[in-house]
């Protein structure tokens, strides 16, 4: 195995220097990199360029984290071991719970995978990312010529050129904390929590040896309260940001939308559905249940569980993934007010559909997959 040495930095703004220094101390990071032009218009990219250029001499990989995360004390060792397994890959250790990449991580957790390939047309979640140093250099060369101010978008541009988007850790290792944003994400996105967060000693070995989902054709995700489905046939152009509603895309998986609506009518739990509808609206309740049916359809198709089924860690991953589906799908302004009891309700409601998802495949006889 090739020699793996990971250098690291936290990127920050002078207004958040104290918390960045605390994060660096807690996680054992090498450097704190401050926005080189803090009085100019806010730009995550400007600071990211400096952070990705702060590679320690001799390092094979570089980890950059942002100043609004919480992570385990052993994060750098987890990153080193992950980079040793995937030496040529960009590795992301967080995914936004209401993104297509977050949906991919949840689906991978349900399928029994430890890594999943990111969606090509979406931003790369840069809260905590490790790159081979050659890729970090390429990012710097591309970024200095960019007029963008979002490092996550620019990193995706770089990775699209290679034809290999980042691998996303399942589970996520770090959590986004707080809601403040120097670039306005607090207004447009609200709470930005991890899609599937588990902190357990077994995670290190799982990331080192667990199965990898290198592609997902038929990714269910929620967007603006509506169930969507990403299929390769409708996303042929990697830079296109098109979105397909579930009923438009489902026939590409060999299933007719009417079968989904039949299950909604016949099998959705009446009491659970009524309570979710009362709290969050009837339209959202229906779209969430349809989304979870599609998750339940696709997870077995992509299944990678060890012989004998899911062990204790696998069950924790599945539980953590499903617990974020409902709350993440709500409007950004609503997420902060959701109670623990309501999260539990949404989780039970999600499971009620996920468990029925295989009926779509079993009763149509047309679906194909792994």
């Amino acid at each position: 195995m090739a020699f793996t040495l990971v250098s690291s930095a936290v990127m920050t703004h002078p207004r958040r220097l104290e918390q960045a220094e605390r994060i660096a101390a807690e996680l054992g990071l090498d450097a704190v990199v401050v926005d080189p032009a803090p009085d100019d218009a806010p730009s995550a990219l400007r600071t990211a360029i400096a952070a990705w250029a702060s590679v320690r001499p001799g390092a094979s990989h570089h980890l950059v984290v942002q100043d609004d995360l919480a992570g385990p004390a052993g994060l750098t060792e987890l990153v080193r071991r992950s980079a040793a397994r995937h030496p040529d890959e960009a590795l992301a250790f967080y995914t936004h719970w209401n993104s297509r990449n977050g949906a991919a991580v949840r689906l991978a957790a349900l399928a029994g995978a430890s890594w999943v390939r990111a969606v090509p047309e979406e931003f790369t979640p840069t809260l905590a990312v490790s790159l081979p140093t050659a890729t970090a250099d390429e990012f710097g060369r591309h970024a200095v010529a960019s007029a963008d101010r979002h490092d996550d978008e620019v990193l995706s541009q770089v990775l699209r050129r290679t034809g290999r988007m980042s691998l996303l850790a399942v589970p996520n290792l770090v959590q986004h904390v707080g809601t403040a944003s120097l670039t306005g994400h607090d207004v447009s996105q609200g709470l930005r929590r991890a899609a599937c967060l588990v902190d357990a000693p077994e995670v290190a070995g799982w990331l080192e040896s667990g199965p990898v989902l290198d592609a997902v054709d038929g990714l269910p995700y929620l967007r603006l309260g509506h169930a969507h489905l990403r299929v390769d046939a409708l996303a042929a152009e990697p830079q296109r940001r098109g979105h397909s509603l579930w009923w438009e895309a489902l026939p590409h998986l060999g299933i007719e939308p009417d079968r989904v609506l039949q299950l909604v009518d016949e099998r959705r739990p009446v009491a659970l559905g009524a309570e979710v509808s009362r709290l969050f609206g009837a339209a959202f309740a229906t779209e969430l249940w349809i989304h979870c049916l599609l998750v339940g359809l696709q997870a077995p198709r992509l299944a990678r569980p060890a012989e004998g089924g899911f062990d204790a860690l696998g069950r924790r991953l599945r539980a953590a993934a499903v617990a974020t589906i409902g709350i993440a799908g709500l409007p950004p302004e609503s997420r902060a007010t959701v109670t623990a009891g309501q999260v539990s309700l949404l989780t039970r409601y999600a499971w009620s559909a996920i468990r029925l998802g295989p009926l779509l495949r079993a009763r149509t006889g047309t679906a194909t997959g792994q």
Side-chain angles (χ1 to χ4, degrees), residues 107 216-220 229 253 293-303:
L107 186 61
V216 175
D217 186 14
L219 172 66
L229 189 64
L253 300 183
L293 273 178
L294 299 177
V295 171
L297 165 70
Q298 291 300 83
R301 288 182 166 194
L302 301 166

Side-chain angles (χ1 to χ4, degrees), residues 29 39 69-70 94 98 107 113 120 171 209 215 231 267 271 284-285 325 364 366:
L29 305 178
D39 295 328
L69 62 72
Y94 158 89
N98 189 37
L107 186 61
S209 60
V231 296
R267 302 297 296 270
F284 175 78
I325 290 179
T364 61
T366 58

